[in-house]
Amino acid sequence: MKITDADFCENHCPVCTNARKGHPLARVLQKIEMIVTFGGCPAGRARKKKYGVAPNESLSSR
């Protein structure tokens, strides 16, 4: 598994997985990342392409 893989964002990314669980610090870091990178890191963009949801959204929201 590569760090730019959609499954990394979904299951292993320390920021994204904790932010989706609702941890406040991870949510703040993820919001900053989403602004700075215009939509998420490469893994987050791959997740959006593969699953159809942004890095800050859960899979059940689609």
Side-chain angles (χ1 to χ4, degrees), residues 9-32:
C9 181
E10 179 61 32
N11 299 312
H12 301 291
C13 177
V15 175
C16 291
T17 55
N18 286 314
R20 287 192 295 268
K21 290 177 186 175
H23 295 286
L25 179 60
R27 292 185 79 165
V28 169
L29 291 174
Q30 188 181 51
K31 283 181 186 180
I32 293 169

Side-chain angles (χ1 to χ4, degrees), residues 14-57:
V15 175
C16 291
T17 55
N18 286 314
R20 287 192 295 268
K21 290 177 186 175
H23 295 286
L25 179 60
R27 292 185 79 165
V28 169
L29 291 174
Q30 188 181 51
K31 283 181 186 180
I32 293 169
E33 177 186 41
M34 295 286 288
I35 292 168
V36 170
T37 61
F38 302 106
C41 67
R45 289 191 297 269
R47 181 179 184 267
K48 179 156 178 95
K49 186 176 180 180
K50 182 175 181 178
Y51 295 113
V53 292
N56 58 343
E57 299 172 331

